[in-house]
Amino acid sequence: MLSASNLNELLNLRSPVSGIVSLYLPADTRRAYVRTFSNLLRLRCLEEPTFSAVAEDLRLLDEFVGRDFKPAGWRGLAVFSAKRLGLWRVCPLLEPVRAALRVAPQPFIAPLLSIADQYQRFGVVLADDQRARFLEVFMGQIREFEDLVMEAPRLESAQGRAVAQRLDGLVRNHAFARIVIGACPSTAIRLSAHLRTELQQSLIFDENLSPKNSAIAVLSRIQACESEARKVRETVLAHRLVDLALANGPAVLGLERTLRALRQGAVRLLLVRDGFAKMGHLCPRCGELSLAFSRCPACGNATQALFDVVEEMIQRALDGHCEVLRLLNPTPLDNMGHIGAELSGNIVAAPASQPAPQREG
Ligand SMILES: [Zn+2]
């Protein structure tokens, strides 16, 4: 699991001399990512002289991707490696990512952060009269703090306070955003009475959970609640975007307008429907993206066909520090071009050369 301290380490790590390898792959159970990785490796090794300095990291990655990674249940994979620094961090992902292999003085974490930002870190305490167990859930993974299990906690008085203190220590060390108390209502109330006020405000009571549940059962229960919350959040953000755009506010809808806003560096938040893909064009000379031009609209050079311009746009948005949300559920944006963006500052969308997508139905 990617712990809060793992994430901090990645944020602060620098290796100016030897470089840090960052790998992203879309995951699939047919294991097409293995071939994607070897193609990427061959291509980048030819292009980049820096790759020879990290040959051992690349060998380890090759071994992991081809042999050790189990893709079931995952849609993406991020791995960071710097053997000289003792860094080896594997992050399976619940959302797809564009394949990328980079060697740089710092890890390339924008795609990872963009996904991680959509998930809350849960601390879980499961308690009854006999036991209290402590767990952590984040981005589709769960771990149990087995050395912290308390037997016969008797949640009244001193023992209840002891459980609360243990939980408090965990919250401080692991940066939990929410705390789930899995216990019957009377036990949950007695336990929460011992918690400091700030923690009481981040509590979620779940009487369907108890110390008898397996970690996997706890994970799937919390994931189900989280994906319901995600659905609501996506709907709210998509509605806000569509309303803003239709009121001529700082927002754009549809591929062409969104691409133009991205090119102008005006995007603050990019919303894109999961699975939405479109062919496009890329200028090999200046890097300009376009939808339908065989000549680059910026420099006039002949363009190359691009298999999926949407993934390239997501990548550029991340590189430009925009927030990106992949819409995993149906939203009003499905009838409005599948992609759109809220714009930063007071930039107002220029009129597009083609009419804006109309709301269907
Ligand atoms: Zn060009």
Side-chain angles (χ1 to χ4, degrees):
M1 170 188 290
L2 184 68
S3 70
S5 62
N6 295 155
L7 203 53
N8 270 331
E9 180 192 39
L10 288 174
L11 277 166
N12 296 312
L13 206 62
R14 300 287 178 274
S15 177
V17 181
S18 51
I20 296 168
V21 185
S22 306
L23 169 69
Y24 288 87
L25 288 172
D28 62 302
T29 45
R30 284 169 295 129
R31 293 169 48 86
Y33 60 87
V34 177
R35 172 161 298 223
T36 306
F37 176 66
S38 29
N39 289 342
L40 207 56
L41 194 58
R42 208 176 44 232
L43 204 72
R44 299 307 309 272
C45 282
L46 292 175
E47 286 171 352
E48 298 264 352
T50 50
F51 273 44
S52 60
V54 291
E56 181 59 13
D57 293 287
L58 298 175
R59 193 190 62 75
L60 290 172
L61 284 168
D62 190 35
E63 221 171 74
F64 176 76
V65 170
R67 192 189 65 193
D68 300 333
F69 176 56
K70 303 284 178 281
W74 302 110
R75 298 187 64 196
L77 171 69
V79 189
F80 305 92
S81 176
K83 194 156 188 290
R84 285 185 215 190
L85 301 179
L87 173 73
W88 176 260
R89 186 72 54 220
V90 174
C91 314
L93 304 169
L94 291 166
E95 296 176 30
V97 281
R98 198 180 74 146
L101 180 62
R102 292 193 187 181
V103 178
Q106 56 207 68
F108 171 49
I109 55 172
L112 173 66
L113 285 182
S114 166
I115 294 175
D117 283 348
Q118 310 306 330
Y119 294 84
Q120 288 194 310
R121 194 177 290 281
F122 293 89
V124 183
V125 54
L126 306 176
D128 61 16
D129 267 2
Q130 275 84 50
R131 297 173 76 202
R133 291 167 57 199
F134 301 87
L135 306 98
E136 175 177 3
V137 171
F138 184 59
M139 286 215 301
Q141 291 187 294
I142 188 164
R143 66 165 165 169
E144 177 149 14
F145 300 95
E146 281 169 3
D147 49 332
L148 299 185
V149 174
M150 298 172 80
E151 300 292 342
R154 304 264 166 240
L155 286 174
E156 302 175 47
S157 71
Q159 282 288 329
R161 184 162 290 124
V163 174
Q165 275 172 0
R166 192 156 282 193
L167 180 61
D168 190 58
L170 273 176
V171 174
R172 289 179 196 275
N173 281 328
H174 299 281
F176 299 143
R178 306 300 301 269
I179 297 157
V180 178
I181 296 188
C184 70
S186 61
T187 302
I189 288 166
R190 270 178 283 153
L191 176 56
S192 67
H194 291 292
L195 291 170
R196 60 192 160 94
T197 316
E198 196 194 328
L199 294 194
Q200 288 182 351
Q201 287 162 354
S202 60
L203 291 181
I204 300 166
F205 296 107
D206 192 336
E207 57 181 296
N208 293 311
L209 291 176
S210 82
K212 295 182 183 68
N213 287 118
S214 67
I216 293 301
V218 174
L219 175 63
S220 69
R221 173 96 185 145
I222 289 177
Q223 275 194 293
C225 297
E226 214 181 10
S227 73
E228 278 307 307
R230 168 83 176 241
K231 211 178 280 181
V232 172
R233 188 172 127 73
E234 288 182 2
T235 307
V236 168
L237 287 174
H239 265 292
R240 189 175 80 181
L241 173 69
V242 170
D243 290 349
L244 262 180
L246 294 182
N248 290 320
V252 287
L253 297 172
L255 197 53
E256 188 185 334
R257 285 165 182 239
T258 305
L259 179 57
R260 181 177 308 151
L262 203 55
R263 207 181 276 145
Q264 293 167 343
V267 171
R268 188 187 70 76
L269 167 66
L270 178 69
L271 296 187
V272 55
R273 180 66 156 115
D274 186 31
F276 177 53
K278 268 273 187 286
M279 295 268 290
H281 294 267
L282 171 72
C283 172
R285 186 199 280 165
C286 73
E288 182 88 352
L289 289 178
S290 54
L291 298 180
F293 298 108
S294 55
R295 292 254 155 221
C296 172
C299 75
N301 201 56
T303 59
Q304 295 170 345
L306 192 62
F307 180 63
D308 184 2
V309 74
V310 179
E311 278 304 321
E312 184 63 36
M313 286 167 68
I314 291 174
Q315 188 64 59
R316 292 189 181 193
L318 292 174
D319 286 340
H321 306 287
C322 307
E323 193 180 340
V324 177
L325 179 64
R326 226 178 254 271
L327 301 170
L328 305 178
N329 302 282
T331 73
L333 200 60
D334 289 351
N335 299 326
M336 308 294 289
H338 310 283
I339 189 167
E342 279 189 27
L343 308 181
S344 54
N346 295 319
I347 297 171
V348 175
S353 59
Q354 68 176 41
Q358 295 300 303
R359 195 192 283 268
E360 293 163 19

